[in-house]
Amino acid sequence: MALFGRGSDSADPTPHATQTQDTPPASADRLLLDLLGARQERGPSYDTPISGILTARLGTDDLERIADAAGELRPTWDVASDADRGRLALAIAAHTRMDDVLERLGLSAAMPPPEVHAMAHGPQAAGGDPWLADAVVHAAAETGYTIPDGGTVLDFGCSSGRVLRAIAAARDDVRCLGCDPNRPAIEWAQKHLPMAEFFVSPQRPPLDLAYGELDFVYAVSIWSHFNRAPALDWLAEMHRLIRPDGRLVLTTHGLTSIAKTRSVDELSEGSATEATAELVRSGFHFIDVFGDEGDWGVRDPEWGNAYFTLDWLSEHMTPGWSIRLFRPGGLDGNQDLIVLGREDL
């Protein structure tokens, strides 16, 4: 939110609360932390199920024109992989307001103002986020799933729609929904992104959607912030909403996130040790990092920074889910990426 979507994940470059804890780690817990520091990061490796559809609409002349307009992104453009260069092309076309190209792409150059939660600003965020759009759709595809023609997609915790707008542009055959409890972000998206439907969501289930109304749901850095009870309550709600054999893609903090945020001093040694030890002991750890101020004004004591293991998820989720994919650090070498299949009970 703004509530969905803030926290210590690399998908959110906005400054956030650094977790601190001054108690020296016990020797056994310190050993856990040292072992954690040796974990290997796994960077992103996403296919192009969304950006590929969009870039296929570009001609050679378009790409040459975009390259010439790259400006401050030109060094990145020159060394980018083919996939990333295609995603950059979409951002550059939006950032430089190439209206004729944007019309063919189905993209909007509208950018939320600083006072509206947007998760990212700047040239690479122009036109939306095809990187994350590719990541979630590719993850589902790895489990043998394709969003059906005429299906319905929900971005759960969409903020102001930076991921959903890319999916909606590529898959104009699909009904795209986005929800978030951050009203200003949703109101901005409703006004500026007509390619999708946006609504303000409650902080507790249910959503105002019918049983089995959805085919595919994704939630980027949402379950990474729910405490235990809302995490499981919202899983149950997603099971109500997703059709049998549909997919839920979510990302969450785990051991790799602890290692990543500790390495860049976003997490103190004491907090990292405490979180690691608690994951080993119980599989779940929650820290209230927002307090009375809330997250972009949305106040919820059950929304902070949450960490859990795959074992904890397997033990506590309803029997109506199957774990189809688990990739530690699968989102930008930080958050774990999980794909759940909705089973018929």
Side-chain angles (χ1 to χ4, degrees):
M1 312 175 195
L3 183 68
F4 284 178
R6 269 292 291 272
S8 55
D9 58 276
S10 57
D12 180 3
T14 310
H16 53 269
T18 299
Q19 302 161 36
T20 59
Q21 202 259 29
D22 296 325
T23 304
S27 58
D29 289 347
R30 179 55 199 254
L31 177 60
L32 287 172
L33 187 61
D34 289 343
L35 290 171
L36 180 61
R39 288 174 64 91
Q40 295 294 313
E41 293 182 5
R42 305 179 80 178
S45 178
Y46 312 141
D47 200 356
T48 58
I50 297 301
S51 65
I53 293 173
L54 294 172
T55 55
R57 299 172 187 170
L58 298 173
T60 302
D61 291 346
D62 294 324
L63 291 171
E64 290 176 353
R65 180 178 163 201
I66 288 169
D68 288 341
E72 63 190 275
L73 293 178
R74 188 58 191 249
T76 304
W77 173 277
D78 289 340
V79 300
S81 66
D82 288 344
D84 277 337
R85 189 171 294 165
R87 297 169 185 130
L88 277 173
L90 304 175
I92 294 166
H95 179 61
T96 58
R97 303 295 178 120
M98 296 182 180
D99 292 339
D100 58 325
V101 175
L102 294 177
E103 184 175 358
R104 262 182 286 126
L105 291 172
L107 288 176
S108 168
M111 177 68 73
E115 65 271 18
V116 172
H117 188 266
M119 298 296 298
H121 287 88
Q124 292 193 64
D129 195 329
W131 285 268
L132 284 178
D134 281 340
V136 295
V137 176
H138 174 62
E142 287 189 272
T143 71
Y145 182 81
T146 301
I147 301 169
D149 293 346
T152 301
V153 171
L154 173 66
D155 183 333
F156 182 59
C158 67
S159 181
S160 49
R162 71 178 178 130
V163 179
L164 187 63
R165 62 199 288 181
I167 294 176
R171 291 293 307 268
D172 56 7
D173 62 302
V174 168
R175 181 188 181 206
C176 289
L177 309 178
C179 68
D180 198 290
N182 187 302
R183 182 173 294 275
I186 289 296
E187 289 177 345
W188 183 91
Q190 288 172 331
K191 182 176 180 180
H192 293 91
L193 303 176
M195 70 285 291
E197 303 170 39
F198 295 93
F199 62 96
V200 178
S201 57
Q203 291 171 224
R204 296 291 182 274
L207 296 181
D208 188 18
L209 296 171
Y211 178 89
E213 187 169 345
L214 306 176
D215 294 280
F216 177 63
V217 178
Y218 63 91
V220 178
S221 193
I222 305 304
W223 268 267
S224 54
H225 299 292
F226 285 141
N227 207 346
R228 292 170 180 81
L232 298 177
D233 289 347
W234 279 113
L235 276 179
E237 174 67 352
M238 292 301 113
H239 189 274
R240 181 183 76 86
L241 295 175
I242 297 174
R243 297 185 180 100
D245 202 37
R247 295 289 188 275
L248 169 62
V249 177
L250 59 94
T251 72
T252 186
H253 298 130
L255 290 170
T256 303
S257 295
I258 297 172
K260 180 67 176 279
T261 52
R262 176 67 194 125
S263 71
V264 295
D265 290 327
E266 289 182 354
L267 196 63
S268 72
E269 181 176 295
S271 292
T273 303
E274 181 183 22
T276 303
E278 188 59 34
L279 284 185
V280 172
R281 282 191 285 265
S282 72
F284 196 100
H285 183 65
F286 178 79
I287 308 172
D288 180 2
V289 296
F290 299 117
D292 293 339
E293 182 181 348
D295 184 12
W296 281 74
V298 181
R299 298 171 180 84
D300 186 343
E302 297 290 279
W303 178 265
N305 275 356
Y307 304 78
F308 60 79
T309 64
L310 188 65
D311 286 343
W312 181 87
L313 180 64
S314 300
E315 180 180 353
H316 291 89
M317 68 184 185
T318 69
W321 294 108
S322 61
I323 296 171
R324 301 296 184 92
L325 179 70
F326 174 66
R327 180 159 294 134
L331 182 69
D332 295 341
N334 185 344
Q335 291 198 20
D336 297 341
L337 192 152
I338 301 169
V339 180
L340 300 180
R342 197 282 201 192
E343 308 296 332
D344 201 3
L345 296 178

